[in-house]
Amino acid sequence: DGGITQSPKYLFRKEGQNVTLSCEQNLNHDAMYWYRQDPGQGLRLIYYSQIVNDFQKGDIAEGYSVSREKKESFPLTVTSAQKNPTAFYLCASSIFAGSNQPQHFGDGTRLSIL
Amino acid sequence: GENVEQHPSTLSVQEGDSAVIKCTYSDSASNYFPWYKQELGKGPQLIIDIRSNVGEKKDQRIAVTLNKTAKHFSLHITETQPEDSAVYFCAASERDQFYFGTGTSLTVIP
């Protein structure tokens, strides 16, 4: 089945540590997105990528980094500079950006601080 | 940038009744409006969408209406069932970004 796979489902970070969240899609979509979800808030965009080797900052990019070396993969690194990383992180993809096509979501990674 | 407001934040209905969730947006350039359903511990799933050249769209028990002049759109669920209980998000899109509402937690009481 085609879809988006996020791993791990749960992740714990120690103070001062960088952690990387995985996002893989086999939908052959060009565009990929990372969102952060906090209780009582909508999804907030961290980074997005319209094409391989290119990505743009979203509304809350500080303390995060991404790479897009392959079409299928868009990992998110939560760096030690992100002081409040506890949240539910969602990865999404769409056929291509600007297409007014729906975004398809993975099942998320819940990140907590130890 | 775009600002999407969603109401109500929580909604409880009796099984079989209808549920209505409303969203407003600020950017008249937005032209695509999807609705997502999110169950606990899962990612959002698209349930219905509408584009700005259409005023209403229906899919079985779910319908969405769009008023471009007033910049608001609504989700209507008829004959609600317990499995409709979830958090629902609206979104507005223009070009390459989506802007999401803050969600509505719907509870259907058997």
Side-chain angles (χ1 to χ4, degrees), chain A residues 4 11 16 23 33 41 46 49 53-54 59 72 74 84 86 95:
Chain A
I4 299 177
L11 187 58
C23 178
Y33 308 79
Q41 297 193 35
I46 304 172
S49 168
N53 293 324
D54 183 59
D59 299 323
E72 302 80 17
F74 191 40
N84 184 24
T86 298
I95 293 176

Side-chain angles (χ1 to χ4, degrees), chain A residues 40-105:
Chain A
Q41 297 193 35
L43 281 64
R44 293 185 291 168
L45 183 65
I46 304 172
Y47 269 98
Y48 67 103
S49 168
Q50 297 175 322
I51 198 168
V52 174
N53 293 324
D54 183 59
F55 48 83
Q56 287 80 40
K57 293 182 178 180
D59 299 323
I60 56 167
E62 186 175 351
Y64 301 96
S65 66
V66 294
S67 62
R68 187 87 187 276
E69 298 176 0
K70 298 187 300 181
K71 187 175 185 177
E72 302 80 17
S73 179
F74 191 40
L76 173 74
T77 296
V78 184
T79 75
S80 57
Q82 172 49 246
K83 298 306 179 188
N84 184 24
T86 298
F88 190 51
Y89 291 87
L90 287 161
C91 178
S93 71
S94 64
I95 293 176
F96 54 89
S99 62
N100 283 341
Q101 294 294 323
Q103 293 185 359
H104 301 265
F105 287 85

Side-chain angles (χ1 to χ4, degrees), chain A residues 37 42 50 98 100 102-103 106-107, chain B residues 31 36 38 43 51 89 96 98:
Chain A
Q37 187 175 31
Q50 297 175 322
N100 283 341
Q103 293 185 359
D107 278 340
Chain B
N31 53 14
Y36 289 87
Q38 186 178 24
R51 289 172 174 79
F89 289 96
D96 52 8
F98 281 48

Side-chain angles (χ1 to χ4, degrees), chain B residues 15-17 61 77-85 106 108:
Chain B
E15 182 176 357
D17 287 350
R61 297 186 297 109
I77 305 174
T78 59
E79 301 171 20
T80 53
Q81 302 167 1
E83 53 264 37
D84 293 330
S85 296
L106 173 65
V108 179

